Amino acid sequence: KYASKDKNSDTGILIGVLPERVIDKGIPGAGLLASILTDKYEDHLPLYRQLQRFKRENVKIAPSTIDGWVKQSLERLEPLYDCLLDDTKAMGYLQADETTIKVMDSAKKGACHLGYYWVYHNPLEKTVLFDYQPTRTIKAAENLLKGFKGYLQTDGYVGYKKLGKQDGVTHLACWAHARREFYDAQSNNEKIAKEALTFIQKLYEVEREARESNLDPEERKNLRLDKSLP
């Protein structure tokens, strides 16, 4: 606020425009909110431990307050999530997998249930999208990948086969999972299984050469045609 020293001035009191806040009328600035989210989601530091750290510095924040800050901050980030989702589906090549995660049950203190992170990796842009779902039903992937066209690479989970049959989708398998079956088959027929493992190892060597040489997609394709295809 600014007021003229001239008592006869008719300018009155001038008030500057307040800077925009991440949380409307909220106390925390963008830097603090970014730090809290990074600590929680990137460095896995729970909010209660962050509160202990603030308390050591004589900064007292109520658990309900920091919970609200996190919720409202994540709401502000939803447009970025929407962009990430669009970019993930637009590149035409996607790797998908799901993994379990224990989730605290709000209805029963101390109890956990088994939830699932559905993970989508875009190798071309090197981005990763996490989608939490309470179950392993393939409906989760069907809803998220609605409209996806291109190459979808997965393991042998039967649910992905349904996705792979959709129009415009080419389903690719995973060498690591294919190799595992030959490895296990050594107990049944060691000679043939080892022969297959040797071929797969040669394919891995080609991929290692491409990676270490930092080849672009076209160069990688030519290398595979020259060395992997035979």
Side-chain angles (χ1 to χ4, degrees):
K1 296 180 180 180
Y2 174 82
S4 173
K5 291 181 178 181
D6 184 358
K7 294 181 180 180
N8 298 318
S9 173
D10 57 358
T11 58
I13 299 176
L14 303 177
I15 303 176
V17 179
L18 285 172
E20 191 172 330
R21 311 291 286 183
V22 176
I23 298 174
D24 189 33
K25 298 181 182 179
I27 294 173
L32 175 60
L33 294 173
S35 177
I36 291 172
L37 293 183
T38 302
D39 284 348
K40 175 175 170 59
Y41 294 106
E42 183 71 16
D43 299 326
H44 307 288
L45 187 66
L47 292 179
Y48 79 90
R49 289 186 178 171
Q50 295 192 48
L51 288 174
Q52 291 173 347
R53 188 170 60 184
F54 285 126
K55 191 175 181 180
R56 285 198 303 268
E57 300 300 325
N58 202 30
V59 178
K60 297 177 182 178
I61 304 173
S64 59
T65 299
I66 198 170
D67 285 347
W69 289 353
V70 169
K71 179 182 177 181
Q72 292 175 340
S73 298
L74 295 177
E75 288 172 350
R76 302 298 185 273
L77 292 175
E78 283 182 3
L80 291 180
Y81 169 82
D82 293 337
C83 288
L84 176 61
L85 178 58
D86 290 342
D87 288 348
T88 297
K89 295 194 294 184
M91 294 303 295
Y93 174 31
L94 204 56
Q95 297 169 330
D97 199 4
E98 77 292 336
T99 186
T100 58
I101 180 173
K102 287 186 177 181
V103 182
M104 294 179 68
D105 193 336
S106 57
K108 190 180 297 184
K109 188 175 181 180
C112 292
H113 67 266
L114 203 60
Y116 286 85
Y117 264 139
W118 292 76
V119 187
Y120 304 91
H121 176 225
N122 173 350
L124 299 176
E125 294 290 328
K126 295 182 172 57
T127 59
V128 180
L129 184 145
F130 287 84
D131 178 45
Y132 170 76
Q133 296 291 334
T135 69
R136 200 188 183 195
T137 174
I138 197 61
K139 279 289 183 185
E142 286 179 327
N143 291 335
L144 190 132
L145 295 181
K146 190 175 182 180
F148 170 75
K149 304 290 184 183
Y151 297 95
L152 179 65
Q153 189 170 23
T154 73
D155 61 15
Y157 175 41
V158 65
Y160 292 121
K161 294 180 181 179
K162 184 179 178 181
L163 282 175
K165 293 178 180 178
Q166 293 181 348
D167 289 340
V169 177
T170 302
H171 194 194
L172 306 180
C174 167
W175 260 125
H177 287 84
R179 182 186 181 280
R180 187 182 304 164
E181 300 299 325
F182 287 108
Y183 182 85
D184 293 340
Q186 290 181 99
S187 58
N188 180 49
N189 190 321
E190 184 177 9
K191 181 180 178 181
I192 295 179
K194 281 193 171 181
E195 184 177 359
L197 290 171
T198 300
F199 279 122
I200 295 172
Q201 183 61 37
K202 289 180 179 179
L203 292 172
Y204 277 13
E205 289 173 359
V206 175
E207 294 306 306
R208 189 179 302 112
E209 179 183 344
R211 186 168 58 252
E212 292 176 352
S213 300
N214 198 29
L215 301 184
D216 63 32
E218 189 62 30
E219 292 171 332
R220 187 180 292 250
K221 175 185 176 182
N222 291 332
L223 179 68
R224 287 171 175 167
L225 291 175
D226 181 42
K227 294 187 176 181
S228 297
L229 186 59

